[in-house]
Amino acid sequence: KQWYQRRVRAFTQKITIMADAMQATVASLLKGIDRYNPENLQTLERYVGMQASENTYDLEANLAVLKLYQFNPSMYQTDVTATILLKALTNLPNPDFILCKCLIETAKLREQPVVKVLKLAEYLETARFTDFWTALMEDQDL
C-alpha cells in the first residue's frame, strides 16, 4: 500500500511539473504576434485539454484559440470549442462565457456538443439550477 501511495504521489508531482511547464510555454506563445500564429494552435488545443483535466483555467489562452479558429476556419475543432465554453461557464458570473461565445461563428454555435453547452449556460443564466443539473447528469460526455 505504501509503495502504491508513493507512486501516486510521484505521478501527481510529475503531472504538476508538466502542467507548470505547459503553462509557461503557453504564456510565451501568447506574447506579441505569435499569439495568432496557426502553428501554435495544436499546443494551445492541448493546453485547453490540460485545463480540463487539471482543473485550471486560462481565459487569455482560450480566447487566442477561438481567435485562431476565426482566422483559420479549416482548423476548427468543435470539441475544443465546447471545452473552452464549459471552462468559461465555471467562471460565472464573470463575462468570460459571453467573450468566448462572441468569437464563435454563428453556424458553429449550432453544432453538438456546443449546443449542449449553450443550453447549460441558459439554465445557469436563468437560475434554472435543477434543469442544469438534470441536463448535466443526463450527458456525462460533457
Side-chain angles (χ1 to χ4, degrees):
K1 185 177 178 180
Q2 289 177 346
W3 175 85
Y4 177 76
Q5 289 174 339
R6 282 194 307 267
R7 296 290 292 171
V8 168
R9 212 172 307 122
F11 180 72
T12 304
Q13 288 172 342
K14 186 175 183 180
I15 288 178
T16 302
I17 291 168
M18 288 170 48
D20 291 344
M22 179 72 135
Q23 191 172 20
T25 299
V26 168
S28 70
L29 291 178
L30 295 177
K31 291 183 180 167
I33 195 112
D34 270 345
R35 169 187 296 264
Y36 302 119
N37 183 344
E39 293 176 10
N40 296 332
L41 187 55
Q42 279 188 328
T43 301
L44 292 169
E45 288 171 335
R46 281 194 311 274
Y47 186 55
V48 170
M50 189 206 76
Q51 289 176 61
S53 65
E54 296 298 313
N55 200 24
T56 60
Y57 180 63
D58 188 335
L59 175 63
E60 188 177 345
N62 296 345
L63 292 173
V65 170
L66 295 174
K67 198 66 172 168
L68 279 164
Y69 287 157
Q70 281 185 328
F71 294 149
N72 307 280
S74 64
M75 301 174 92
Y76 177 81
Q77 299 288 325
T78 305
D79 289 337
V80 173
T81 302
T83 302
I84 289 171
L85 288 172
L86 281 169
K87 292 302 292 181
L89 265 184
T90 66
N91 210 30
L92 282 175
N94 292 316
D96 299 14
F97 185 81
I98 304 281
L99 289 170
C100 292
K101 184 179 166 188
C102 287
L103 290 177
I104 302 169
E105 221 178 283
T106 305
K108 306 278 188 207
L109 293 173
R110 295 186 199 105
E111 296 177 1
Q112 293 295 345
V114 172
V115 171
K116 293 176 184 176
V117 178
L118 294 176
K119 194 63 173 172
L120 291 174
E122 178 187 328
Y123 290 150
L124 289 175
E125 291 169 350
T126 57
R128 293 169 49 196
F129 303 117
T130 304
D131 292 336
F132 170 83
W133 286 111
T134 300
L136 191 62
M137 294 304 163
E138 286 174 358
D139 194 347
Q140 294 293 317
D141 292 338
L142 288 176

